[in-house]
mmCIF file of all heavy atoms in Angstrom:
data_model
loop_
_atom_site.group_PDB
_atom_site.id
_atom_site.type_symbol
_atom_site.label_atom_id
_atom_site.label_comp_id
_atom_site.label_asym_id
_atom_site.label_seq_id
_atom_site.Cartn_x
_atom_site.Cartn_y
_atom_site.Cartn_z
ATOM 1 N N THR A 58 27.447 23.166 -80.371
ATOM 2 C CA THR A 58 26.079 23.157 -80.882
ATOM 3 C C THR A 58 25.363 24.404 -80.397
ATOM 4 O O THR A 58 25.669 24.936 -79.318
ATOM 5 C CB THR A 58 25.322 21.887 -80.437
ATOM 6 O OG1 THR A 58 24.079 21.811 -81.138
ATOM 7 C CG2 THR A 58 25.044 21.905 -78.931
ATOM 8 N N ARG A 59 24.414 24.882 -81.178
ATOM 9 C CA ARG A 59 23.634 26.065 -80.821
ATOM 10 C C ARG A 59 22.246 25.638 -80.363
ATOM 11 O O ARG A 59 21.672 24.690 -80.895
ATOM 12 C CB ARG A 59 23.508 27.022 -82.008
ATOM 13 C CG ARG A 59 24.831 27.535 -82.536
ATOM 14 C CD ARG A 59 24.602 28.577 -83.632
ATOM 15 N NE ARG A 59 23.785 28.039 -84.714
ATOM 16 C CZ ARG A 59 24.282 27.419 -85.787
ATOM 17 N NH1 ARG A 59 25.590 27.247 -85.898
ATOM 18 N NH2 ARG A 59 23.477 26.974 -86.736
ATOM 19 N N ILE A 60 21.709 26.369 -79.390
ATOM 20 C CA ILE A 60 20.389 26.057 -78.849
ATOM 21 C C ILE A 60 19.569 27.337 -78.721
ATOM 22 O O ILE A 60 20.072 28.352 -78.221
ATOM 23 C CB ILE A 60 20.493 25.365 -77.478
ATOM 24 C CG1 ILE A 60 21.273 24.049 -77.596
ATOM 25 C CG2 ILE A 60 19.107 25.113 -76.882
ATOM 26 C CD1 ILE A 60 21.516 23.358 -76.264
ATOM 27 N N GLY A 61 18.314 27.271 -79.166
ATOM 28 C CA GLY A 61 17.376 28.369 -78.986
ATOM 29 C C GLY A 61 16.235 27.915 -78.085
ATOM 30 O O GLY A 61 15.710 26.812 -78.248
ATOM 31 N N ILE A 62 15.866 28.749 -77.121
ATOM 32 C CA ILE A 62 14.822 28.405 -76.162
ATOM 33 C C ILE A 62 13.742 29.482 -76.189
ATOM 34 O O ILE A 62 14.050 30.682 -76.114
ATOM 35 C CB ILE A 62 15.379 28.307 -74.726
ATOM 36 C CG1 ILE A 62 16.636 27.443 -74.682
ATOM 37 C CG2 ILE A 62 14.317 27.785 -73.764
ATOM 38 C CD1 ILE A 62 17.416 27.574 -73.380
ATOM 39 N N ASN A 63 12.497 29.062 -76.285
ATOM 40 C CA ASN A 63 11.396 30.015 -76.222
ATOM 41 C C ASN A 63 10.232 29.400 -75.470
ATOM 42 O O ASN A 63 10.039 28.182 -75.475
ATOM 43 C CB ASN A 63 10.949 30.434 -77.624
ATOM 44 C CG ASN A 63 10.001 31.606 -77.581
ATOM 45 O OD1 ASN A 63 10.241 32.577 -76.859
ATOM 46 N ND2 ASN A 63 8.916 31.539 -78.327
ATOM 47 N N THR A 64 9.455 30.242 -74.823
ATOM 48 C CA THR A 64 8.314 29.803 -74.021
ATOM 49 C C THR A 64 7.055 30.495 -74.520
ATOM 50 O O THR A 64 7.070 31.708 -74.755
ATOM 51 C CB THR A 64 8.533 30.143 -72.532
ATOM 52 O OG1 THR A 64 9.738 29.521 -72.082
ATOM 53 C CG2 THR A 64 7.365 29.694 -71.685
ATOM 54 N N GLY A 65 5.988 29.733 -74.694
ATOM 55 C CA GLY A 65 4.736 30.336 -75.135
ATOM 56 C C GLY A 65 3.719 29.285 -75.533
ATOM 57 O O GLY A 65 3.971 28.080 -75.426
ATOM 58 N N PHE A 66 2.573 29.767 -75.989
ATOM 59 C CA PHE A 66 1.512 28.868 -76.427
ATOM 60 C C PHE A 66 1.824 28.325 -77.819
ATOM 61 O O PHE A 66 2.388 29.026 -78.658
ATOM 62 C CB PHE A 66 0.170 29.598 -76.450
ATOM 63 C CG PHE A 66 -0.345 29.954 -75.081
ATOM 64 C CD1 PHE A 66 -0.190 31.236 -74.579
ATOM 65 C CD2 PHE A 66 -0.954 28.990 -74.295
ATOM 66 C CE1 PHE A 66 -0.650 31.558 -73.316
ATOM 67 C CE2 PHE A 66 -1.420 29.299 -73.027
ATOM 68 C CZ PHE A 66 -1.273 30.591 -72.532
ATOM 69 N N MET A 67 1.433 27.070 -78.053
ATOM 70 C CA MET A 67 1.652 26.445 -79.348
ATOM 71 C C MET A 67 0.637 25.331 -79.548
ATOM 72 O O MET A 67 -0.011 24.881 -78.604
ATOM 73 C CB MET A 67 3.075 25.885 -79.450
ATOM 74 C CG MET A 67 3.418 24.853 -78.382
ATOM 75 S SD MET A 67 5.199 24.549 -78.238
ATOM 76 C CE MET A 67 5.773 26.098 -77.535
ATOM 77 N N THR A 68 0.496 24.909 -80.786
ATOM 78 C CA THR A 68 -0.372 23.784 -81.113
ATOM 79 C C THR A 68 0.455 22.516 -81.082
ATOM 80 O O THR A 68 1.505 22.436 -81.721
ATOM 81 C CB THR A 68 -1.000 23.961 -82.505
ATOM 82 O OG1 THR A 68 -1.777 25.164 -82.520
ATOM 83 C CG2 THR A 68 -1.893 22.788 -82.859
ATOM 84 N N ALA A 69 -0.008 21.514 -80.331
ATOM 85 C CA ALA A 69 0.724 20.256 -80.193
ATOM 86 C C ALA A 69 -0.192 19.096 -80.557
ATOM 87 O O ALA A 69 -1.382 19.102 -80.238
ATOM 88 C CB ALA A 69 1.233 20.093 -78.768
ATOM 89 N N GLY A 70 0.362 18.095 -81.248
ATOM 90 C CA GLY A 70 -0.423 16.918 -81.583
ATOM 91 C C GLY A 70 0.191 16.120 -82.700
ATOM 92 O O GLY A 70 1.302 16.421 -83.169
ATOM 93 N N ASN A 71 -0.508 15.087 -83.120
ATOM 94 C CA ASN A 71 -0.033 14.221 -84.197
ATOM 95 C C ASN A 71 -0.353 14.845 -85.552
ATOM 96 O O ASN A 71 -1.472 15.289 -85.801
ATOM 97 C CB ASN A 71 -0.692 12.847 -84.099
ATOM 98 C CG ASN A 71 -0.222 12.084 -82.868
ATOM 99 O OD1 ASN A 71 0.962 12.068 -82.557
ATOM 100 N ND2 ASN A 71 -1.153 11.461 -82.162
ATOM 101 N N VAL A 72 0.647 14.860 -86.417
ATOM 102 C CA VAL A 72 0.507 15.437 -87.755
ATOM 103 C C VAL A 72 0.971 14.406 -88.771
ATOM 104 O O VAL A 72 1.980 13.720 -88.563
ATOM 105 C CB VAL A 72 1.335 16.735 -87.895
ATOM 106 C CG1 VAL A 72 1.272 17.257 -89.314
ATOM 107 C CG2 VAL A 72 0.833 17.790 -86.919
ATOM 108 N N GLY A 73 0.250 14.268 -89.880
ATOM 109 C CA GLY A 73 0.662 13.356 -90.936
ATOM 110 C C GLY A 73 -0.494 12.519 -91.429
ATOM 111 O O GLY A 73 -1.673 12.834 -91.198
ATOM 112 N N ALA A 74 -0.164 11.442 -92.122
ATOM 113 C CA ALA A 74 -1.166 10.538 -92.682
ATOM 114 C C ALA A 74 -1.328 9.325 -91.782
ATOM 115 O O ALA A 74 -0.596 9.130 -90.816
ATOM 116 C CB ALA A 74 -0.753 10.109 -94.092
ATOM 117 N N GLU A 75 -2.298 8.481 -92.112
ATOM 118 C CA GLU A 75 -2.608 7.324 -91.289
ATOM 119 C C GLU A 75 -1.404 6.406 -91.125
ATOM 120 O O GLU A 75 -1.147 5.873 -90.047
ATOM 121 C CB GLU A 75 -3.770 6.546 -91.916
ATOM 122 C CG GLU A 75 -4.183 5.320 -91.122
ATOM 123 C CD GLU A 75 -4.752 5.678 -89.750
ATOM 124 O OE1 GLU A 75 -5.301 6.788 -89.610
ATOM 125 O OE2 GLU A 75 -4.626 4.847 -88.843
ATOM 126 N N ARG A 76 -0.628 6.221 -92.194
ATOM 127 C CA ARG A 76 0.488 5.284 -92.146
ATOM 128 C C ARG A 76 1.807 5.949 -91.768
ATOM 129 O O ARG A 76 2.815 5.274 -91.590
ATOM 130 C CB ARG A 76 0.624 4.591 -93.507
ATOM 131 C CG ARG A 76 -0.619 3.781 -93.890
ATOM 132 C CD ARG A 76 -0.481 3.118 -95.237
ATOM 133 N NE ARG A 76 0.604 2.144 -95.256
ATOM 134 C CZ ARG A 76 0.933 1.428 -96.337
ATOM 135 N NH1 ARG A 76 0.246 1.590 -97.480
ATOM 136 N NH2 ARG A 76 1.918 0.553 -96.288
ATOM 137 N N ARG A 77 1.789 7.263 -91.679
ATOM 138 C CA ARG A 77 3.019 7.957 -91.299
ATOM 139 C C ARG A 77 2.657 9.277 -90.628
ATOM 140 O O ARG A 77 2.192 10.198 -91.290
ATOM 141 C CB ARG A 77 3.906 8.215 -92.511
ATOM 142 C CG ARG A 77 5.224 8.904 -92.145
ATOM 143 C CD ARG A 77 6.188 8.921 -93.301
ATOM 144 N NE ARG A 77 7.432 9.562 -92.944
ATOM 145 C CZ ARG A 77 8.518 9.578 -93.713
ATOM 146 N NH1 ARG A 77 8.480 8.958 -94.886
ATOM 147 N NH2 ARG A 77 9.618 10.182 -93.327
ATOM 148 N N LYS A 78 2.846 9.333 -89.343
ATOM 149 C CA LYS A 78 2.542 10.550 -88.609
ATOM 150 C C LYS A 78 3.570 10.746 -87.505
ATOM 151 O O LYS A 78 4.310 9.825 -87.143
ATOM 152 C CB LYS A 78 1.136 10.492 -88.026
ATOM 153 C CG LYS A 78 0.922 9.427 -86.965
ATOM 154 C CD LYS A 78 -0.487 9.493 -86.387
ATOM 155 C CE LYS A 78 -1.546 9.284 -87.439
ATOM 156 N NZ LYS A 78 -2.914 9.253 -86.864
ATOM 157 N N THR A 79 3.614 11.953 -86.984
ATOM 158 C CA THR A 79 4.566 12.264 -85.931
ATOM 159 C C THR A 79 3.937 13.254 -84.970
ATOM 160 O O THR A 79 3.054 14.033 -85.352
ATOM 161 C CB THR A 79 5.862 12.861 -86.519
ATOM 162 O OG1 THR A 79 6.807 13.066 -85.464
ATOM 163 C CG2 THR A 79 5.602 14.202 -87.191
ATOM 164 N N TYR A 80 4.375 13.229 -83.731
ATOM 165 C CA TYR A 80 3.943 14.199 -82.740
ATOM 166 C C TYR A 80 4.828 15.424 -82.869
ATOM 167 O O TYR A 80 6.059 15.319 -82.881
ATOM 168 C CB TYR A 80 4.057 13.608 -81.327
ATOM 169 C CG TYR A 80 3.549 14.538 -80.251
ATOM 170 C CD1 TYR A 80 2.217 14.521 -79.867
ATOM 171 C CD2 TYR A 80 4.402 15.442 -79.631
ATOM 172 C CE1 TYR A 80 1.736 15.375 -78.887
ATOM 173 C CE2 TYR A 80 3.945 16.307 -78.648
ATOM 174 C CZ TYR A 80 2.612 16.261 -78.275
ATOM 175 O OH TYR A 80 2.142 17.129 -77.308
ATOM 176 N N THR A 81 4.219 16.591 -82.981
ATOM 177 C CA THR A 81 5.009 17.796 -83.180
ATOM 178 C C THR A 81 4.297 18.998 -82.593
ATOM 179 O O THR A 81 3.187 18.888 -82.055
ATOM 180 C CB THR A 81 5.294 18.022 -84.685
ATOM 181 O OG1 THR A 81 6.250 19.074 -84.825
ATOM 182 C CG2 THR A 81 4.016 18.387 -85.425
ATOM 183 N N VAL A 82 4.940 20.148 -82.682
ATOM 184 C CA VAL A 82 4.352 21.410 -82.229
ATOM 185 C C VAL A 82 4.496 22.435 -83.340
ATOM 186 O O VAL A 82 5.439 22.391 -84.140
ATOM 187 C CB VAL A 82 5.039 21.930 -80.944
ATOM 188 C CG1 VAL A 82 4.680 21.067 -79.756
ATOM 189 C CG2 VAL A 82 6.549 22.009 -81.111
ATOM 190 N N MET A 83 3.547 23.365 -83.387
ATOM 191 C CA MET A 83 3.556 24.401 -84.414
ATOM 192 C C MET A 83 3.079 25.711 -83.807
ATOM 193 O O MET A 83 2.395 25.721 -82.784
ATOM 194 C CB MET A 83 2.643 24.006 -85.586
ATOM 195 C CG MET A 83 3.066 22.764 -86.338
ATOM 196 S SD MET A 83 1.927 22.347 -87.698
ATOM 197 C CE MET A 83 0.461 21.898 -86.762
ATOM 198 N N GLY A 84 3.439 26.801 -84.463
ATOM 199 C CA GLY A 84 2.974 28.102 -84.029
ATOM 200 C C GLY A 84 4.082 29.125 -83.950
ATOM 201 O O GLY A 84 5.268 28.821 -84.137
ATOM 202 N N ASP A 85 3.715 30.373 -83.654
ATOM 203 C CA ASP A 85 4.678 31.475 -83.612
ATOM 204 C C ASP A 85 5.752 31.241 -82.550
ATOM 205 O O ASP A 85 6.923 31.564 -82.762
ATOM 206 C CB ASP A 85 3.939 32.787 -83.338
ATOM 207 C CG ASP A 85 4.867 33.987 -83.331
ATOM 208 O OD1 ASP A 85 5.463 34.283 -84.385
ATOM 209 O OD2 ASP A 85 5.018 34.616 -82.268
ATOM 210 N N SER A 86 5.366 30.674 -81.410
ATOM 211 C CA SER A 86 6.343 30.424 -80.347
ATOM 212 C C SER A 86 7.406 29.432 -80.795
ATOM 213 O O SER A 86 8.580 29.551 -80.426
ATOM 214 C CB SER A 86 5.638 29.897 -79.090
ATOM 215 O OG SER A 86 4.774 30.876 -78.559
ATOM 216 N N VAL A 87 6.990 28.434 -81.582
ATOM 217 C CA VAL A 87 7.926 27.443 -82.102
ATOM 218 C C VAL A 87 8.860 28.091 -83.125
ATOM 219 O O VAL A 87 10.077 27.874 -83.107
ATOM 220 C CB VAL A 87 7.178 26.268 -82.741
ATOM 221 C CG1 VAL A 87 8.154 25.208 -83.240
ATOM 222 C CG2 VAL A 87 6.193 25.658 -81.758
ATOM 223 N N ASN A 88 8.278 28.897 -84.003
ATOM 224 C CA ASN A 88 9.092 29.563 -85.021
ATOM 225 C C ASN A 88 10.133 30.477 -84.386
ATOM 226 O O ASN A 88 11.281 30.560 -84.860
ATOM 227 C CB ASN A 88 8.192 30.381 -85.956
ATOM 228 C CG ASN A 88 7.266 29.509 -86.784
ATOM 229 O OD1 ASN A 88 7.538 28.324 -86.991
ATOM 230 N ND2 ASN A 88 6.172 30.073 -87.245
ATOM 231 N N LEU A 89 9.747 31.161 -83.310
ATOM 232 C CA LEU A 89 10.700 32.049 -82.647
ATOM 233 C C LEU A 89 11.846 31.263 -82.031
ATOM 234 O O LEU A 89 13.002 31.698 -82.075
ATOM 235 C CB LEU A 89 9.998 32.893 -81.583
ATOM 236 C CG LEU A 89 10.880 33.892 -80.841
ATOM 237 C CD1 LEU A 89 11.623 34.815 -81.808
ATOM 238 C CD2 LEU A 89 10.052 34.712 -79.853
ATOM 239 N N ALA A 90 11.557 30.102 -81.463
ATOM 240 C CA ALA A 90 12.633 29.261 -80.916
ATOM 241 C C ALA A 90 13.646 28.912 -82.001
ATOM 242 O O ALA A 90 14.860 28.935 -81.771
ATOM 243 C CB ALA A 90 12.044 27.993 -80.298
ATOM 244 N N ALA A 91 13.144 28.594 -83.194
ATOM 245 C CA ALA A 91 14.043 28.277 -84.308
ATOM 246 C C ALA A 91 14.877 29.494 -84.688
ATOM 247 O O ALA A 91 16.074 29.373 -84.993
ATOM 248 C CB ALA A 91 13.230 27.787 -85.503
ATOM 249 N N ARG A 92 14.271 30.674 -84.677
ATOM 250 C CA ARG A 92 15.011 31.903 -84.998
ATOM 251 C C ARG A 92 16.099 32.156 -83.946
ATOM 252 O O ARG A 92 17.208 32.597 -84.274
ATOM 253 C CB ARG A 92 14.053 33.098 -85.059
ATOM 254 C CG ARG A 92 12.987 33.006 -86.126
ATOM 255 C CD ARG A 92 13.567 33.153 -87.523
ATOM 256 N NE ARG A 92 12.527 33.097 -88.528
ATOM 257 C CZ ARG A 92 12.124 31.979 -89.130
ATOM 258 N NH1 ARG A 92 12.704 30.830 -88.814
ATOM 259 N NH2 ARG A 92 11.172 32.004 -90.033
ATOM 260 N N LEU A 93 15.779 31.889 -82.691
ATOM 261 C CA LEU A 93 16.743 32.122 -81.621
ATOM 262 C C LEU A 93 17.941 31.184 -81.742
ATOM 263 O O LEU A 93 19.075 31.573 -81.444
ATOM 264 C CB LEU A 93 16.072 31.954 -80.259
ATOM 265 C CG LEU A 93 14.974 32.977 -79.930
ATOM 266 C CD1 LEU A 93 14.322 32.644 -78.604
ATOM 267 C CD2 LEU A 93 15.525 34.393 -79.920
ATOM 268 N N GLU A 94 17.697 29.951 -82.158
ATOM 269 C CA GLU A 94 18.821 29.029 -82.380
ATOM 270 C C GLU A 94 19.754 29.586 -83.447
ATOM 271 O O GLU A 94 20.974 29.619 -83.279
ATOM 272 C CB GLU A 94 18.282 27.653 -82.795
ATOM 273 C CG GLU A 94 19.355 26.608 -83.044
ATOM 274 C CD GLU A 94 19.967 26.681 -84.427
ATOM 275 O OE1 GLU A 94 19.233 26.980 -85.397
ATOM 276 O OE2 GLU A 94 21.185 26.453 -84.543
ATOM 277 N N SER A 95 19.156 30.037 -84.539
ATOM 278 C CA SER A 95 19.956 30.517 -85.652
ATOM 279 C C SER A 95 20.679 31.826 -85.328
ATOM 280 O O SER A 95 21.810 32.046 -85.768
ATOM 281 C CB SER A 95 19.062 30.706 -86.878
ATOM 282 O OG SER A 95 19.797 31.194 -87.978
ATOM 283 N N VAL A 96 20.034 32.691 -84.550
ATOM 284 C CA VAL A 96 20.600 34.009 -84.293
ATOM 285 C C VAL A 96 21.877 33.938 -83.457
ATOM 286 O O VAL A 96 22.669 34.895 -83.425
ATOM 287 C CB VAL A 96 19.536 34.914 -83.611
ATOM 288 C CG1 VAL A 96 19.484 34.683 -82.106
ATOM 289 C CG2 VAL A 96 19.787 36.382 -83.915
ATOM 290 N N ASN A 97 22.115 32.799 -82.803
ATOM 291 C CA ASN A 97 23.390 32.631 -82.099
ATOM 292 C C ASN A 97 24.582 32.901 -83.013
ATOM 293 O O ASN A 97 25.612 33.430 -82.567
ATOM 294 C CB ASN A 97 23.498 31.199 -81.552
ATOM 295 C CG ASN A 97 22.736 30.984 -80.255
ATOM 296 O OD1 ASN A 97 23.051 31.568 -79.227
ATOM 297 N ND2 ASN A 97 21.732 30.126 -80.308
ATOM 298 N N LYS A 98 24.456 32.521 -84.278
ATOM 299 C CA LYS A 98 25.565 32.705 -85.228
ATOM 300 C C LYS A 98 25.922 34.174 -85.367
ATOM 301 O O LYS A 98 27.090 34.522 -85.536
ATOM 302 C CB LYS A 98 25.174 32.132 -86.589
ATOM 303 C CG LYS A 98 25.035 30.621 -86.618
ATOM 304 C CD LYS A 98 24.695 30.117 -88.012
ATOM 305 C CE LYS A 98 23.274 30.473 -88.412
ATOM 306 N NZ LYS A 98 22.885 29.854 -89.711
ATOM 307 N N GLN A 99 24.914 35.048 -85.322
ATOM 308 C CA GLN A 99 25.157 36.473 -85.526
ATOM 309 C C GLN A 99 25.667 37.173 -84.272
ATOM 310 O O GLN A 99 26.193 38.278 -84.353
ATOM 311 C CB GLN A 99 23.870 37.146 -86.002
ATOM 312 C CG GLN A 99 23.329 36.577 -87.311
ATOM 313 C CD GLN A 99 22.045 37.249 -87.757
ATOM 314 O OE1 GLN A 99 21.984 38.480 -87.872
ATOM 315 N NE2 GLN A 99 21.015 36.467 -88.005
ATOM 316 N N TYR A 100 25.483 36.526 -83.118
ATOM 317 C CA TYR A 100 25.839 37.181 -81.855
ATOM 318 C C TYR A 100 26.993 36.513 -81.118
ATOM 319 O O TYR A 100 27.355 36.938 -80.016
ATOM 320 C CB TYR A 100 24.598 37.269 -80.958
ATOM 321 C CG TYR A 100 23.683 38.394 -81.383
ATOM 322 C CD1 TYR A 100 22.690 38.178 -82.332
ATOM 323 C CD2 TYR A 100 23.830 39.679 -80.881
ATOM 324 C CE1 TYR A 100 21.867 39.210 -82.755
ATOM 325 C CE2 TYR A 100 23.014 40.714 -81.281
ATOM 326 C CZ TYR A 100 22.038 40.477 -82.223
ATOM 327 O OH TYR A 100 21.232 41.507 -82.639
ATOM 328 N N GLY A 101 27.566 35.464 -81.691
ATOM 329 C CA GLY A 101 28.721 34.845 -81.066
ATOM 330 C C GLY A 101 28.399 34.067 -79.806
ATOM 331 O O GLY A 101 29.257 33.870 -78.952
ATOM 332 N N THR A 102 27.149 33.597 -79.697
ATOM 333 C CA THR A 102 26.724 32.834 -78.535
ATOM 334 C C THR A 102 26.361 31.415 -78.958
ATOM 335 O O THR A 102 26.238 31.122 -80.146
ATOM 336 C CB THR A 102 25.507 33.494 -77.868
ATOM 337 O OG1 THR A 102 24.481 33.694 -78.861
ATOM 338 C CG2 THR A 102 25.871 34.839 -77.259
ATOM 339 N N LEU A 103 26.143 30.548 -77.962
ATOM 340 C CA LEU A 103 25.722 29.173 -78.231
ATOM 341 C C LEU A 103 24.317 28.898 -77.701
ATOM 342 O O LEU A 103 23.607 28.054 -78.244
ATOM 343 C CB LEU A 103 26.705 28.183 -77.600
ATOM 344 C CG LEU A 103 28.109 28.187 -78.193
ATOM 345 C CD1 LEU A 103 29.031 27.312 -77.355
ATOM 346 C CD2 LEU A 103 28.084 27.705 -79.636
ATOM 347 N N LEU A 104 23.927 29.589 -76.639
ATOM 348 C CA LEU A 104 22.617 29.419 -76.034
ATOM 349 C C LEU A 104 21.886 30.758 -76.061
ATOM 350 O O LEU A 104 22.446 31.775 -75.658
ATOM 351 C CB LEU A 104 22.732 28.934 -74.582
ATOM 352 C CG LEU A 104 23.631 27.727 -74.311
ATOM 353 C CD1 LEU A 104 23.640 27.416 -72.821
ATOM 354 C CD2 LEU A 104 23.173 26.514 -75.110
ATOM 355 N N MET A 105 20.638 30.740 -76.520
ATOM 356 C CA MET A 105 19.873 31.976 -76.599
ATOM 357 C C MET A 105 18.423 31.706 -76.229
ATOM 358 O O MET A 105 17.826 30.727 -76.684
ATOM 359 C CB MET A 105 19.932 32.566 -78.011
ATOM 360 C CG MET A 105 19.395 33.986 -78.099
ATOM 361 S SD MET A 105 20.589 35.189 -77.474
ATOM 362 C CE MET A 105 21.704 35.309 -78.871
ATOM 363 N N ALA A 106 17.859 32.567 -75.390
ATOM 364 C CA ALA A 106 16.465 32.431 -74.981
ATOM 365 C C ALA A 106 15.742 33.747 -75.197
ATOM 366 O O ALA A 106 16.349 34.824 -75.158
ATOM 367 C CB ALA A 106 16.370 32.017 -73.511
ATOM 368 N N GLY A 107 14.425 33.638 -75.412
ATOM 369 C CA GLY A 107 13.594 34.822 -75.529
ATOM 370 C C GLY A 107 13.184 35.333 -74.158
ATOM 371 O O GLY A 107 13.267 34.627 -73.151
ATOM 372 N N GLU A 108 12.702 36.569 -74.119
ATOM 373 C CA GLU A 108 12.389 37.197 -72.838
ATOM 374 C C GLU A 108 11.236 36.512 -72.105
ATOM 375 O O GLU A 108 11.165 36.570 -70.870
ATOM 376 C CB GLU A 108 12.082 38.675 -73.051
ATOM 377 C CG GLU A 108 10.968 38.949 -74.038
ATOM 378 C CD GLU A 108 10.946 40.390 -74.505
ATOM 379 O OE1 GLU A 108 11.927 41.127 -74.269
ATOM 380 O OE2 GLU A 108 9.940 40.791 -75.109
#
Side-chain angles (χ1 to χ4, degrees):
T58 190
R59 300 185 304 270
I60 300 175
I62 311 166
N63 191 45
T64 302
F66 291 100
M67 59 196 70
T68 300
N71 292 316
V72 175
E75 181 65 28
R76 299 179 63 180
R77 182 169 181 172
K78 65 177 60 176
T79 184
Y80 183 89
T81 190
V82 289
M83 297 179 293
D85 182 64
S86 295
V87 182
N88 294 338
L89 182 54
R92 298 290 182 269
L93 295 176
E94 180 277 324
S95 179
V96 83
N97 280 295
K98 292 182 289 186
Q99 300 179 54
Y100 282 89
T102 53
L103 294 172
L104 310 179
M105 192 78 79
E108 56 196 13

